[in-house]
Amino acid sequence: MSITGIARKLFAPRWKELERHNTEAEELQREVLSRLIGRARDTEYGRYHHFADMKDYDDFVKSVPLNSYEELKGNIDRMRHGEADVLWPGKVKWYAKSSGTTNDKSKFIPVSKEGLKRLHYKGGSDVVAMYLRNNPQSRMFDGKGLILGGSHQANYNLPGSLVGDLSAILIENINPIVNLVRVPKKETALLSDFEVKRDRIAREAMTKNVTNLSGVPSWMLSVLNRVMELSGKTHLEEVWPNLEVFFHGGVAFTPYREQYEQLITSPKMHYMETYNASEGFFGIQDDPADKSMLLMLDYDCFYEFIPLENLEMAASSDNVAVAHSTLNPVPLWGVEKGKNYAMIITTSCGLWRYMIGDTVQFTSTNPYKFIISGRTKSFINAFGEELIVDNAEQGLAYACQQTGAQVLEYTAAPVFMDKNAKCRHQWLIEFAVQPDDMQRFARLLDARLQEVNSDYEAKRYKDITLQHLEVIPARKDLFNDWLKSKGKLGGQHKVPRLSNSRDTMEQLLAMN
């Protein structure tokens, strides 16, 4: 029996457990909440918020406030200095540097031992379990996996405290057996200089029997292109004939799909999306025919959701108390299909009712499946148009399809009023392949945005509020150079897609 055949037998019991997601979703989530509250009842946070007296979800909501990073930052700083039993039992050694922010100020997310096991590694294990279930002919464990990661370093020289990309923390703490079936070697994987690491990864991996890839699409594409340069081959399957799957996450795959399909022409190639963040592992594409992901309900994560319109209403209020009273989060069993929600998580890493910053939209409630629709701070609503990342991805995909273009990176921001008193959206796009007609590309993008977003359509009506959007081609490597200038090149760092502010846009234009 092959190694993959043995692995399949080991994962088979989990297939049965996952069926509870279809029939017992609410029960699973109530079990998770009870477990987390019970585990943390004797922490400082648990005592202050009376965890010992909590009987159900209603008690939890009454006693524990919603938190952003700022509300928990003081406690997290104390944990980083070695204090125990603050937000979670014991001492927490590892802290994931937030990959979702483009500000100079970083966030440090605690990663406890329980969180590693029951929130992060459990997600990675389930990705493999679902893939093997859906692909009985797989031989992925008969070769090696190319896994991209970031780096970590001493946490300001504090003893027993380390900071790094979540991916680097996972590599550092992974079972040594896994290193037998992965590339590159650990020392290479944890290098901090992405440009050096990219070359070394390519050189180490190109002579191995790589069967599977894991990483952020943009950074993985950069490594694969280096493999092609070094090998002199035309298609990736000429280098790795047994390559069969790419497990991807971190950024939307839509802008990169065509480039991957041109690079990898093998009909046996599969793509599987995951939702793994610094704060936890939340979703897995369990059905290859369905682009939405299954929300993972039996990990150490309890979910709540704020309707996006409530969040926008709260943001417009100057009164903090009034703002919080309008949020009205609901538990999983209170969500509706088709609505955009800001996600709140409670985890075994000590994040209590924590607003993660992502927005999701449920495509099914039996089982609970969703798409990532954007970020709470990654949208344009300068004129009431409420443009979200999911709209942008649909618009770009359509314009690319019609013009033969391929997009590498992009960002968009409003132009509030130019010298002619005109307002519009400005898009800065780095193309892998230029459209056959840039003006037509812009028209198609604008038209598609109106089709998928009625608010944008209303504001574009007769050019009264919003004029036609503007597309500015970016020079080669502009976005990478910008990330490098911020110390964010490589790892899990991402280019901001949409913003109500022009800060990022102006910085990029100055470098273009």
Side-chain angles (χ1 to χ4, degrees), residues 210-501:
V210 173
T211 60
N212 58 99
L213 312 171
S214 299
V216 178
S218 52
W219 302 124
M220 181 62 76
L221 187 63
S222 180
V223 170
L224 299 183
N225 283 332
R226 182 58 179 152
V227 168
M228 301 306 293
E229 290 170 3
L230 292 170
S231 68
K233 304 296 185 182
T234 304
H235 298 111
L236 198 60
E237 60 265 34
E238 298 175 68
V239 182
W240 299 320
N242 297 312
L243 182 65
E244 60 177 85
V245 62
F246 177 25
F247 303 112
H248 58 86
V251 298
F253 189 57
T254 302
Y256 304 99
R257 178 175 290 278
E258 187 174 350
Q259 294 170 69
Y260 274 90
E261 290 177 348
Q262 289 180 356
L263 185 63
I264 309 166
T265 60
S266 170
K268 71 178 182 180
M269 186 64 185
H270 302 91
Y271 298 91
M272 191 169 175
E273 186 171 9
T274 64
Y275 180 13
N276 53 327
S278 299
E279 296 85 356
F281 204 122
F282 309 123
I284 301 171
Q285 184 183 4
D286 66 324
D287 180 355
D290 184 354
K291 291 183 179 180
S292 57
M293 290 179 278
L294 180 70
L295 190 68
M296 306 313 297
L297 304 179
D298 61 353
Y299 297 1
D300 272 1
C301 184
F302 179 78
Y303 302 95
E304 296 173 89
F305 303 89
I306 300 174
L308 196 56
E309 61 266 26
N310 293 4
L311 195 68
E312 292 169 352
M313 191 184 308
S316 65
S317 174
D318 295 327
N319 187 307
V320 176
V322 171
H324 271 260
S325 69
T326 61
L327 292 175
N328 295 325
V330 297
L332 180 68
W333 50 93
V335 302
E336 302 173 26
K337 288 195 302 181
K339 289 184 66 172
N340 282 305
Y341 293 96
M343 195 161 79
I344 304 168
I345 59 172
T346 291
T347 77
S348 58
C349 291
L351 300 178
W352 298 100
R353 303 195 80 195
Y354 179 81
M355 293 182 276
I356 188 174
D358 288 337
T359 62
V360 299
Q361 185 180 111
F362 284 91
T363 59
S364 166
T365 55
N366 184 29
Y368 287 92
K369 301 183 75 169
F370 69 98
I371 60 169
I372 302 171
S373 55
R375 293 198 43 90
T376 56
K377 294 183 180 180
S378 185
F379 59 87
I380 304 179
N381 194 28
F383 313 103
E385 66 274 45
E386 298 189 16
L387 191 75
I388 61 175
V389 173
D390 185 58
N391 302 153
E393 300 289 354
Q394 290 189 55
L396 287 170
Y398 177 74
C400 285
Q401 181 185 44
Q402 296 298 312
T403 64
Q406 293 180 13
V407 171
L408 273 178
E409 298 287 358
Y410 73 92
T411 193
V415 175
F416 293 98
M417 193 172 289
D418 62 18
K419 62 183 180 182
N420 298 313
K422 299 293 187 181
C423 305
R424 64 187 182 281
H425 286 183
Q426 190 174 63
W427 292 68
L428 182 61
I429 304 176
E430 182 178 346
F431 292 96
V433 177
Q434 293 271 347
D436 52 21
D437 182 330
M438 192 67 70
Q439 294 303 314
R440 179 168 174 259
F441 180 93
R443 289 195 301 272
L444 290 166
L445 173 58
D446 187 75
R448 185 60 173 164
L449 292 178
Q450 293 184 55
E451 289 179 11
V452 300
N453 184 318
S454 58
D455 292 313
Y456 182 81
E457 180 184 35
K459 299 303 179 290
R460 284 283 294 113
Y461 181 69
K462 293 187 176 180
D463 291 355
I464 295 173
T465 303
L466 269 178
Q467 278 69 53
H468 197 288
L469 63 81
E470 173 188 13
V471 173
I472 301 175
R475 66 168 173 80
K476 186 177 184 297
D477 293 329
L478 171 65
F479 290 93
N480 280 354
D481 290 345
W482 179 81
L483 285 169
K484 188 175 182 180
S485 74
K486 298 288 184 181
K488 295 177 179 291
L489 185 64
Q492 293 180 304
H493 301 299
K494 297 169 282 224
V495 172
R497 297 310 196 190
L498 307 177
S499 177
N500 261 346
S501 159

Side-chain angles (χ1 to χ4, degrees), residues 94-96 111 116 121 164-174:
W94 291 95
Y95 296 84
V111 183
L116 271 172
Y121 288 140
D165 285 346
L166 187 275
S167 56
I169 295 172
L170 297 179
I171 290 171
E172 184 66 43
N173 290 278
I174 204 165

Side-chain angles (χ1 to χ4, degrees), residues 8-36:
R8 190 183 305 280
K9 289 183 178 295
L10 294 175
F11 282 108
R14 180 59 177 160
W15 301 343
K16 186 70 175 177
E17 293 176 1
L18 288 169
E19 292 177 7
R20 291 190 69 192
H21 282 66
N22 299 328
T23 57
E24 303 172 44
E26 182 177 340
E27 183 179 345
L28 284 174
Q29 276 287 276
R30 290 188 184 275
E31 288 173 2
V32 168
L33 181 60
S34 178
R35 181 169 70 243
L36 294 174

Side-chain angles (χ1 to χ4, degrees), residues 189-206:
L190 296 176
L191 285 171
S192 58
D193 187 322
F194 180 74
E195 291 168 304
V196 173
K197 179 159 67 175
R198 170 181 178 261
D199 184 70
R200 291 191 186 176
I201 291 174
R203 292 181 186 277
E204 287 181 29
M206 61 187 291

